[in-house]
Amino acid sequence: MSTGFVEGWLAGTIQASAPIFYAALGETVVERSGLINLGVEGTMLVGASSSFAVTSLTGSPVAGLATGALAGALFNLILAPLVLWRRANQLACGLALMFLGAGLSAFYGQSFVGAPVNGFDVVPIPFLETIPFAGPILFQQDALVYFMAPSAVLVWWLLARTRWGLQLRAVGEDRLVAFAAGTRPHLLRVQALLLGGLFAGVAGAHLSLAIAHSWTEGLTAGRGFIAVSLVIFAAWSPLRVLPGALLFGGALALQIQLQARGAAVSPFLLDMLPYLMTLVVLVLLRKSSRGRMPEGLKEVFESPKGS
Amino acid sequence: MKMRVLQAVLVAALTLFPTWGLSAQAKVIVGVLHLGSVKDAGYNQASHDAVLVLKKNIPGITVLEAENVPESADAERVIEQMINKGATIIFAHSFGYQDPTLNVAKKYPNVTFLHAGGFKDAPNFGTYWGNNFEGMYLAGIAAGAATKTGKLGFIIGFPIPNILASVNAFELGAKTVNPKVTTTLTIDNSFNDSVKEAASVGALADAGADVIACFVDSPITVIKTAEARGLKSIGFWSAALRAFAPKGWLTGIVMNWGDIYTQEVKEVMAKTWKPSHIVGGIESPIVTLAEYGPSVSADTKAKIAAAKADIISGKLAVFTGPLKDNTGKEVFPAGKTGGADLLNVTNWLVEGVVGTIQ
């Protein structure tokens, strides 16, 4: 029954990375449009509790996932009137969204605590799962894990290869120039927020339906913030989000794997690993990734331009 | 955080509503604070079940319950609102309510306050707790008999004395039927991070553990994940957990607070109540074992029943020297036994527990 340490760790890494990956992928789209949503954590919570509730009511995790994605998209939409039309401070709005999501999900999730639910179970891929070593790591996962790489490619294709993506990136670089060139910045940014929320909702659904198979208040436990920093780590590239998420997932999974193997390392020190890594990575990458930051995003942090 | 407060207040207000307009007759009103949802099949549900017992035992009593009350000054406000609505007895059912409850207790000398698991005193403030390690010792026997790999897994929130005593007792119980058995500990640094709990079950299973026990607020995720991985499991707090593991369930430690709640309320009503620190063990109704799962043999059940009888008669102490900790240091010399005070002082892991707590 027992599995090798490396094998167990890598399988755990992939599972732990999936929610961070989906949330960061969505946030990448949002940030490429020149907005930043610090409230990903709240959107994930809304996705997690609504998907769990609907799965418990309908018995279908797919219906739950769809609801979670939709709820995440709509929840992100709250930001649109605030930061687009009212030009409110995006950082403050994002944090408010986080608290709102935490409260809303707790309030509506309350009656589903302890509900018996059949979420996403492990779906082994026939034949491939029997490959020594790689099989159990890569091909004995839940359905949402298998969609990670395709999602990254899809978002990359949308941003880099479609007219919509070009316009979205143009808005992210300079919305005034993009507007002069005939795009509709507000519409594109609303679409970016919707897509970002959709992925954050999927991330939440993965936590409640595929990993925990239960709903508790504050289920995300800070993973939404790791996702936000992951976007910077990935230098706003959807393809780089995948290895980045695996790195963070690896740190999250390592502390539990080491304890389960009886390694004599302090669990408290191990617990800091993902966050320590976040800090180190941000410091190391600050210079090189700065050039890739969407110009429009700099407005949020520096002196406002245009308006 | 603010939403939680609002929510707690709303729940409290809704619970209180029916009592408005009924003020004339002298009725006992009791307030109960819960840390989380009372449907968690865990810590909070056990306390809510006690409220149901209390209502059955004392007809006509009114109980105001508030869920999701944070362990902060917010708890003081919830308690004061309950008192404003006429509550004369408050059960603050979480360790972190100790100081907020004491603060309110000073202001309201005519109200009686009861706190779960605390160590502080006041003339109108008493505490109650159960000796969970005696239950864990018995559950350990079931786990030791069930394991095929000789490896047990134990997932805990924080390495605090009460919990470490439980982990140690679990290993000691398992050793009585399987001398070579080990218990691997994982510490989540949270009492309610379900995602980490699920990952811990997976990691322990990867490392070869085939029976999982836990000390977290809501064991639902642990029990469900263990069941999905084909592992055996030991529950904690509430008997409602069993439904989540029809196959792998061995048994569970169930904390029944109902009799304690009833006793305290009756004493207050009879004006015989005195502040005290009540700790009930396996001899009391507070700590019981849940119904056994299908795989527990008659032989194991008999061994558990015998150990329980010996603990109650005083023939057997769970912690009896010589005992070494898991670094090889002697913690209990031969002949020395330990009692309920270990719930407050244990800061070591017994030989056979794999883990680090520093």
Side-chain angles (χ1 to χ4, degrees):
Chain A
M1 266 301 277
S2 70
T3 321
F5 169 71
V6 177
E7 213 172 307
W9 175 40
L10 292 178
T13 294
I14 292 178
Q15 198 193 37
S17 69
I20 315 173
F21 164 77
Y22 282 114
L25 191 64
E27 180 68 5
T28 301
V29 178
V30 173
E31 294 194 18
R32 286 302 282 266
S33 83
L35 298 177
I36 185 164
N37 174 16
L38 288 187
V40 178
E41 178 95 355
T43 314
M44 282 172 81
L45 281 168
V46 167
S49 78
S50 58
S51 62
F52 187 79
V54 168
T55 307
S56 132
L57 292 173
T58 64
S60 157
V62 176
L65 176 69
T67 313
L70 189 69
L74 292 176
F75 188 71
N76 253 14
L77 211 55
I78 295 174
L79 274 184
L82 301 173
V83 304
L84 296 180
W85 285 279
R86 300 299 307 163
R87 315 261 313 138
N89 183 300
Q90 293 188 25
L91 304 180
C93 288
L95 288 176
L97 197 75
M98 190 270 286
F99 284 111
L100 183 64
L104 264 184
S105 61
F107 189 71
Y108 290 106
Q110 178 83 354
S111 44
F112 294 94
V113 171
V117 146
N118 291 314
F120 290 102
D121 291 323
V122 169
V123 187
I125 307 264
F127 179 68
L128 289 177
E129 65 153 330
T130 59
I131 301 172
F133 191 70
I137 298 171
L138 293 171
F139 303 112
Q140 290 182 10
Q141 299 280 2
D142 61 83
L144 285 173
V145 165
Y146 299 132
F147 282 104
M148 284 166 69
S151 304
V153 173
L154 176 74
V155 171
W156 166 82
W157 176 79
L158 274 176
L159 285 177
R161 290 286 181 271
T162 67
R163 186 168 182 78
W164 178 79
L166 179 68
Q167 290 183 341
L168 186 92
R169 284 182 292 125
V171 168
E173 294 300 326
D174 193 322
R175 67 192 163 83
L176 297 176
V177 171
F179 179 67
T183 67
R184 301 173 68 185
H186 281 3
L187 181 68
L188 285 159
R189 284 176 162 178
V190 166
Q191 289 165 343
L193 281 172
L194 283 170
L195 197 58
L198 189 128
F199 277 115
V202 170
H206 188 261
L207 285 174
S208 64
L209 292 178
I211 301 185
H213 291 268
S214 66
W215 161 254
T216 46
E217 194 182 334
L219 187 72
T220 46
R223 287 168 184 86
F225 288 101
I226 294 186
V228 174
S229 60
L230 179 57
V231 176
I232 305 169
F233 173 72
W236 295 272
S237 151
L239 292 180
R240 288 194 205 181
V241 169
L242 188 57
L246 289 170
L247 205 61
F248 280 94
L252 285 169
L254 183 64
Q255 68 114 348
I256 286 162
Q257 282 286 340
L258 281 178
Q259 286 196 61
R261 302 285 165 167
V265 193
S266 162
F268 302 103
L269 286 176
L270 287 174
D271 217 29
M272 301 190 313
L273 205 60
Y275 306 98
L276 203 64
M277 217 177 83
T278 309
L279 289 176
V280 169
V281 153
L282 289 180
V283 169
L284 288 180
L285 286 188
R286 168 104 179 119
K287 271 194 118 164
S288 61
S289 68
R290 186 150 167 79
R292 295 169 169 275
M293 187 183 203
E295 285 296 322
L297 209 52
K298 290 179 183 165
E299 271 185 49
V300 180
F301 301 98
E302 291 156 13
S303 60
K305 182 183 169 190
S307 57
Chain B
M1 268 328 129
K2 287 293 170 236
M3 273 306 286
R4 283 175 55 149
V5 181
L6 181 63
Q7 193 185 334
V9 170
L10 274 176
V11 172
L14 285 174
T15 328
L16 293 166
F17 190 69
T19 67
W20 289 344
L22 289 171
S23 50
Q25 66 202 107
K27 257 175 74 175
V28 175
I29 302 178
V30 175
V32 182
L33 277 71
H34 304 289
L35 186 60
S37 162
V38 298
K39 285 195 292 182
D40 64 355
Y43 188 77
N44 300 294
Q45 185 160 346
S47 169
H48 178 66
D49 287 345
V51 170
L52 300 179
V53 172
L54 181 63
K55 282 180 177 166
K56 205 182 81 195
N57 287 349
I58 307 181
I61 194 172
T62 302
V63 183
L64 315 173
E65 289 181 84
E67 293 176 72
N68 293 327
V69 181
E71 295 173 312
S72 64
D74 293 328
E76 294 183 28
R77 284 187 275 279
V78 174
I79 295 173
E80 290 206 54
Q81 276 178 350
M82 288 174 165
I83 294 172
N84 288 340
K85 297 291 172 200
T88 51
I89 306 169
I90 299 288
F91 287 92
H93 191 71
S94 184
F95 184 80
Y97 295 148
Q98 180 163 257
D99 290 335
T101 308
L102 267 172
N103 291 343
V104 184
K106 278 180 207 144
K107 277 201 242 172
Y108 297 91
N110 296 326
V111 177
T112 307
F113 297 86
L114 291 140
H115 174 247
F119 52 85
K120 294 189 178 172
D121 301 282
N124 57 339
F125 179 94
T127 69
Y128 60 94
W129 192 247
N131 185 343
N132 30 264
F133 74 67
E134 289 183 350
M136 278 291 179
Y137 180 84
L138 301 180
I141 299 174
T147 177
K148 294 198 168 60
T149 59
K151 284 183 177 178
L152 314 175
F154 208 125
I155 298 164
I156 68 171
F158 293 97
I160 57 176
N162 170 10
I163 296 179
L164 296 179
S166 285
V167 173
N168 290 341
F170 182 74
E171 166 70 14
L172 289 172
K175 262 188 196 153
T176 61
V177 287
N178 189 343
K180 284 186 183 155
V181 77
T182 60
T183 298
T184 305
L185 188 66
T186 63
I187 302 171
D188 283 349
N189 285 329
S190 166
F191 279 125
N192 42 22
D193 188 337
S194 313
V195 177
K196 249 189 198 173
E197 287 158 15
S200 293
V201 175
L204 287 166
D206 286 347
D210 59 355
V211 181
I212 305 289
C214 64
F215 201 129
V216 296
D217 276 355
S218 171
I220 294 176
T221 301
V222 171
I223 302 293
K224 270 179 104 167
T225 313
E227 183 78 354
R229 297 271 314 223
L231 310 175
K232 300 275 190 284
S233 56
I234 301 283
F236 196 29
W237 302 122
S238 163
L241 272 175
R242 196 190 160 164
F244 295 99
K247 281 198 215 112
W249 179 263
L250 292 176
T251 184
I253 295 91
V254 179
M255 305 299 269
N256 304 293
W257 307 112
D259 287 355
I260 277 289
Y261 283 19
T262 308
Q263 180 194 325
E264 301 274 8
V265 171
K266 280 187 171 162
E267 283 181 14
V268 173
M269 287 168 77
K271 299 195 176 4
T272 57
W273 186 88
K274 295 262 179 326
S276 63
H277 297 284
I278 297 167
V279 179
I282 199 78
E283 81 294 343
S284 77
I286 298 180
V287 183
T288 55
L289 280 193
E291 252 182 81
Y292 293 109
S295 66
V296 182
S297 72
D299 178 46
T300 305
K301 288 177 192 171
K303 279 178 183 154
I304 293 173
K308 183 178 170 179
D310 286 349
I311 293 175
I312 293 174
S313 72
K315 217 168 100 188
L316 169 71
V318 170
F319 292 96
T320 304
L323 287 177
K324 281 185 194 159
D325 73 9
N326 69 355
T327 63
K329 204 179 87 194
E330 188 178 76
V331 278
F332 268 45
K336 189 189 164 189
T337 59
D341 61 315
L342 285 170
L343 290 168
N344 299 323
V345 297
T346 303
N347 60 355
W348 45 276
L349 293 169
V350 77
E351 188 178 25
V353 176
V354 182
T356 313
I357 50 173
Q358 264 111 43

